[in-house]
């Protein structure tokens, strides 16, 4: 039981007998020393009994955290996903990619998990090496043949031809008129038939 309500109700706690009457002879007031001792014991107990947050012990309304994906998992998912796409299409790609990423989790210490992580590491290493080689070769080819300049020139020439054709045949104006006409007819049709 507590005496009068105060902001620090826990400080005014008194022992009660079996009937519920307050025992005024001995009071267990909370002292700073007892509070500090209690807090230290609670903190030590929390550290030793700490459990990872799961959906069962997570407070309501707490945002879901995305699980951390390791490079091995990502590599395994990509490798098996692409293989599944080539072999059986998008559905097999999805199943193989997600399945490999799940199996490649670091806490899966089975031979299958080890193999999935190793294949993921292989995919990541191979991709980085290939991109380096391709980048260097592309740079060399551009320096030797001026590919970037030729692409820029072709795009500029193509855009100029498109603009000239548009000016000559009024394609953009006709397209706008047609779209406007179709929109107006659609509104009229809807008013008439009430779809």
């Amino acid at each position: 039981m507590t005496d009068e309500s105060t902001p620090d109700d826990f400080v005014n706690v008194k022992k009660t007998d079996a009937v519920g009457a307050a025992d005024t002879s001995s009071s267990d007031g909370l002292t700073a020393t007892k509070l500090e001792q209690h807090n230290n014991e609670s903190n030590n107990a929390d550290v030793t009994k700490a459990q990872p947050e799961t959906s069962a012990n997570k407070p309501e309304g707490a945002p879901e955290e995305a699980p951390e994906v390791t490079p091995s998992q990502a590599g395994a998912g990509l490798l098996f996903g692409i293989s599944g796409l080539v072999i059986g299409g998008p559905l097999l790609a999805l199943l193989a990619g997600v399945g490999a990423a799940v199996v490649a989790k670091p806490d899966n210490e089975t031979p299958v998990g080890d193999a999935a992580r190793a294949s993921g590491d292989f995919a990541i290493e191979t991709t980085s090496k290939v991109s380096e080689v391709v980048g260097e070769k592309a740079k060399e080819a551009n320096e030797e043949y001026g590919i970037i300049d030729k692409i820029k020139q072709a795009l500029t020439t193509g855009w100029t031809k498109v603009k000239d054709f548009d000016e000559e045949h009024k394609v953009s104006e006709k397209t706008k008129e047609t779209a406007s006409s179709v929109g107006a007819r659609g509104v009229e049709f809807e008013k008439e038939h009430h779809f």
Side-chain angles (χ1 to χ4, degrees), residues 117-134:
R117 281 187 295 281
S119 65
D121 291 337
F122 168 76
I124 295 294
E125 289 173 17
T126 304
T127 303
S128 64
K129 288 179 183 177
V130 167
S131 64
E132 287 175 13
V133 170
V134 168

Side-chain angles (χ1 to χ4, degrees), residues 26-162:
S26 66
S27 170
D28 264 352
L30 189 60
T31 64
T33 308
K34 289 181 182 178
L35 180 60
E36 189 175 324
Q37 181 182 7
H38 170 75
N39 287 342
N40 288 338
E41 289 172 1
S42 294
N43 288 341
N44 290 340
D46 288 345
V47 169
T48 57
K49 295 180 183 178
Q51 298 175 356
E53 245 183 36
T54 63
S55 58
N57 64 5
K58 185 177 278 202
E60 278 189 48
E64 292 289 327
E65 292 183 20
E68 190 172 319
V69 177
T70 63
S72 298
Q73 282 180 278
L78 286 172
L79 178 68
F80 286 96
I82 291 171
S83 301
L85 182 63
V86 170
I87 293 171
L91 183 60
L92 185 59
L94 178 68
L95 293 173
V98 170
V102 169
V103 170
K105 283 185 176 180
D107 60 348
N108 183 358
E109 297 179 7
T110 63
V112 175
D114 293 340
R117 281 187 295 281
S119 65
D121 291 337
F122 168 76
I124 295 294
E125 289 173 17
T126 304
T127 303
S128 64
K129 288 179 183 177
V130 167
S131 64
E132 287 175 13
V133 170
V134 168
E136 290 173 12
K137 294 294 182 185
K139 223 183 234 185
E140 291 173 8
N142 183 43
E143 290 172 0
E144 187 174 339
Y145 300 108
I147 295 172
I148 299 292
D149 293 331
K150 288 179 182 177
I151 291 173
K152 286 180 185 177
Q153 198 173 36
L155 290 174
T156 304
T157 304
W159 182 248
T160 304
K161 288 182 180 180
V162 167

